[in-house]
Amino acid sequence: MSTTYSKNDLASWERRYRANLLNKISGFKSAHLIGTQNEEGQTNLAIFNSVMHIGANPFYLGFILRPHSVERHTYENIKASGFYTLNAITSAIHQQAHQTSAKYERSQSEFAEVGLTEEFLTNFPAPFVKESPIKMGLSFVEEHPIKVNDTLLVIGQVEQLILPNEIIDSDGDIDLAQLDIVSILGLDSYYKTKRIGKYPYARP
Amino acid sequence: MSTTYSKNDLASWERRYRANLLNKISGFKSAHLIGTQNEEGQTNLAIFNSVMHIGANPFYLGFILRPHSVERHTYENIKASGFYTLNAITSAIHQQAHQTSAKYERSQSEFAEVGLTEEFLTNFPAPFVKESPIKMGLSFVEEHPIKVNDTLLVIGQVEQLILPNEIIDSDGDIDLAQLDIVSILGLDSYYKTKRIGKYPYARP
């Protein structure tokens, strides 16, 4: 049995009930850890569920920053240094990844607090997550303040892509379920996945 | 064994190989059908893998439009009418949903071409997909042209939310795997999901 809710109904819901439901109702999202460091070399690691594909050539990715959140350390470091990393989350590290959302002090590195290993590779000026099988190093290129609610779209270009090449098919296909990459629903629920179909370019 | 690719390596890859791999490497995404109609009442239905959460109160969602693609019918209809629908994709309809990405003529409705049922509900001025268990009616509120590659972020407010309320827990939690909602990887691969964990708000 389906029910129709108006925007006024949504506004009248209890705050936590609304946040739980509406963060999930738009579906499964990718889960990434963003690694940054400040000018003193203090590292930061934060989980994001909003990484989006902007373009493949050049390769651009975006993500959404909420206003006034713990994620602000990430933003400040990106703006100051110009660089950040995106690290895919596997089932093996998803609990540690979730724990990065706690409000640690600026002097604490989430790497050490949650038990993940920071790794500096190929002279890239931001920390990667050693335990992640897909690592990307990005440079900041563009930001768009969202007028309606003060969130921010941040876009970067992928400068370095690190991945296990033996799982890439000859046509570039890759099945992330084989790497145990998880999907996230809302802010608290993690999912494993299984491919049910792959289809050719559709024609009328 | 991991390999590091620079942005120059990515640029040198064959076009289709690059598109396949890089559309997938950023992880699992939500899959939606966007329903619109033009001023003559001609309906359109198109699959999108870029729906993102912008905010819960008020409830805003965004999506990315590629330049010069078949998705332009969707955009023209949204701009002309101000309204569109987002419909979640289940495993039962994922093949029909994929087929909407074919380049149909403007005079053809993808609803009829792929065998999905258009439904007009609660006087909302855009067509819903009858077969979808989660339907949202949105009004256009904001757009942001992405400078680096001419894609476009489109943001709407959810005016109507239609869903089976018996699957919502008392705290607003919902497990979309129970509704057989699929996740999508890249442009061609569909996944079912299974929850592996749900965690409380993290504290240091």
Side-chain angles (χ1 to χ4, degrees), chain A residues 159-188:
Chain A
E159 304 278 340
Q160 302 275 344
L161 170 61
I162 300 165
L163 77 172
N165 53 1
E166 72 272 16
I167 69 156
I168 309 171
D169 285 353
S170 57
D171 66 349
D173 186 37
I174 187 169
D175 179 4
L176 295 190
Q178 290 181 18
L179 291 175
D180 260 333
I181 305 291
V182 300
S183 179
I184 190 168
L185 189 65
L187 304 172
D188 63 8

Side-chain angles (χ1 to χ4, degrees), chain A residues 105-134:
Chain A
E105 299 298 317
R106 190 180 300 269
S107 62
Q108 297 173 296
S109 172
E110 290 82 5
F111 282 101
E113 296 299 326
V114 309
L116 292 170
T117 312
E118 66 185 44
E119 187 175 44
F120 284 87
L121 298 171
T122 64
N123 293 317
F124 194 79
F128 293 95
V129 176
K130 184 179 174 66
E131 291 83 356
S132 173
I134 300 178

Side-chain angles (χ1 to χ4, degrees), chain A residues 24 94 173 175 191 199, chain B residues 24 94 142 173 175 191 199:
Chain A
K24 287 178 173 154
H94 81 279
D173 186 37
D175 179 4
Y191 287 74
Y199 303 98
Chain B
K24 287 176 173 157
H94 80 279
E142 193 171 325
D173 186 37
D175 179 3
Y191 288 73
Y199 304 98

Side-chain angles (χ1 to χ4, degrees), chain A residues 3 5 20 24 28 30 54 94 99 142 147 149 161 163 165 171 173 175 190-191 196-197 199 203, chain B residues 3 5 20 24 28 30 54 94 99 142 147 149 161 163 165 171 173 175 190-191 196-197 199 203:
Chain A
T3 302
Y5 302 96
N20 277 344
K24 287 178 173 154
F28 299 103
S30 56
I54 299 290
H94 81 279
Q99 184 60 28
E142 191 172 327
K147 298 183 195 83
N149 69 353
L161 170 61
L163 77 172
N165 53 1
D171 66 349
D173 186 37
D175 179 4
Y190 298 80
Y191 287 74
I196 58 171
Y199 303 98
R203 299 181 192 285
Chain B
T3 303
Y5 301 96
N20 277 344
K24 287 176 173 157
F28 298 103
S30 56
I54 299 291
H94 80 279
Q99 183 61 28
E142 193 171 325
K147 298 184 194 82
N149 69 352
L161 170 61
L163 78 172
N165 52 0
D171 66 350
D173 186 37
D175 179 3
Y190 298 81
Y191 288 73
I196 58 172
Y199 304 98
R203 299 179 193 286

